[in-house]
């Protein structure tokens, strides 16, 4: 399967500013989606893997901080960047508290600064997805261990005297079958 391009959603109620943001990012290896509607952006986030959300702060439908907060609840791994013309502490606090903003960029912004922030956001999105996969694998492994322990009490316990080696059989599946542990491989295959 070919690697698909990271999806970047850009939202601003000012059509000229939205066009500027899209123009700035269009040469990057991203799938760019743009909208004047925060609700439409939330629909995209809810229905697909969005790597980065780039949003204006001051919009009529909802603030960029509110949009980022909704996006965080829908897809925590979507990285959120806010563009703002309001350079106030209140704006920063609102963005951090509601949307756990990755980066704030002031308007007018430097094009290279925006491209760099979005590239860093895409990389952070990859890290978050990887960490999420690790967490899911740990949870599956723990669930499998618990299921095996409940079905075969003591199976996860190894007792041996100090200094004695534990020898793993060359074919543990045959040994399990000899002990009457059937269906074990099927449980492992489902959890993988």
């Amino acid at each position: 399967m070919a690697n698909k391009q990271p999806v970047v959603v850009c939202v601003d109620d000012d059509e000229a500013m939205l066009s500027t943001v899209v123009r700035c990012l269009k040469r990057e290896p991203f799938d760019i989606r743009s909208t004047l509607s925060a609700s439409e952006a939330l629909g995209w986030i809810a229905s697909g893997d969005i790597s980065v959300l780039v949003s204006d702060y001051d919009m009529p439908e909802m603030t960029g901080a509110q949009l980022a907060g909704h996006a965080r609840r829908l897809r925590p791994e979507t990285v959120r960047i806010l563009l703002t013309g309001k350079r106030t502490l209140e704006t920063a606090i609102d963005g951090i508290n509601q949307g756990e903003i990755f980066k704030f960029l002031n308007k007018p912004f430097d094009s290279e600064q925006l491209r760099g922030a979005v590239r860093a956001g895409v990389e952070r999105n990859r890290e978050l997805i990887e960490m999420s996969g690790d967490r899911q694998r740990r949870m599956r492994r723990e669930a499998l261990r618990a299921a095996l322990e409940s079905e075969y009490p003591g199976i996860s316990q190894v007792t041996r005297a100090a200094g004695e080696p534990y020898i793993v059989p060359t074919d543990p599946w045959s040994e399990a079958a000899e002990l009457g542990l059937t269906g074990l491989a099927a449980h492992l295959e489902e959890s993988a």
Side-chain angles (χ1 to χ4, degrees):
M1 182 170 108
N3 289 338
K4 61 181 189 171
Q5 291 184 325
V7 180
V8 176
V9 170
C10 303
V11 188
D12 199 316
D13 63 310
D14 177 346
E15 196 166 354
M17 181 56 73
L18 183 60
S19 294
T20 300
V21 171
V22 170
R23 209 172 29 254
C24 177
L25 297 173
K26 75 179 185 180
R27 288 197 172 125
E28 295 294 318
F30 309 137
D31 176 3
I32 307 289
R33 296 183 193 170
S34 63
T35 181
L36 299 168
S37 166
S39 295
E40 184 174 25
L42 281 175
W44 291 338
I45 292 167
S47 65
D49 294 329
I50 305 301
S51 298
V52 178
L53 168 67
V54 178
S55 174
D56 180 32
Y57 179 82
D58 196 19
M59 299 184 291
E61 193 176 351
M62 67 181 79
T63 68
Q66 290 168 330
L67 173 60
H70 291 305
R72 180 178 57 86
R73 286 186 286 286
L74 288 170
R75 292 207 186 262
E77 70 279 4
T78 296
V79 175
R80 298 156 304 276
I81 297 173
L82 273 186
L83 303 175
T84 182
K86 293 183 174 184
R87 296 179 180 113
T88 66
L89 181 60
E90 183 180 302
T91 302
I93 290 171
D94 189 34
I96 291 167
N97 289 342
Q98 287 197 59
E100 295 179 0
I101 301 304
F102 177 69
K103 296 269 185 194
F104 277 98
L105 298 177
N106 288 323
K107 291 182 186 177
F109 56 84
D110 175 70
S111 296
E112 189 51 44
Q113 184 183 27
L114 176 61
R115 284 191 290 270
V118 173
R119 279 187 227 116
V122 166
E123 184 56 36
R124 179 66 181 148
N125 172 259
R126 286 185 184 124
E127 292 168 0
L128 291 170
I129 289 171
E130 189 176 296
M131 288 188 314
S132 173
D134 289 345
R135 183 174 39 252
Q136 290 169 352
R137 282 189 293 279
R138 282 193 307 273
M139 289 171 57
R140 282 196 312 262
R141 189 172 43 243
E142 181 56 32
L144 176 61
R145 191 203 62 72
L148 286 171
E149 188 63 38
S150 71
E151 192 170 341
Y152 306 104
I155 196 167
S156 63
Q157 308 283 318
V158 176
T159 54
R160 61 187 170 106
E164 287 184 20
Y166 179 75
I167 300 171
V168 177
T170 55
D171 185 9
W173 299 112
S174 296
E175 190 172 305
E178 289 172 16
L179 294 171
L181 304 176
T182 58
L184 194 57
H187 288 324
L188 292 172
E189 293 298 322
E190 290 169 8
S191 299

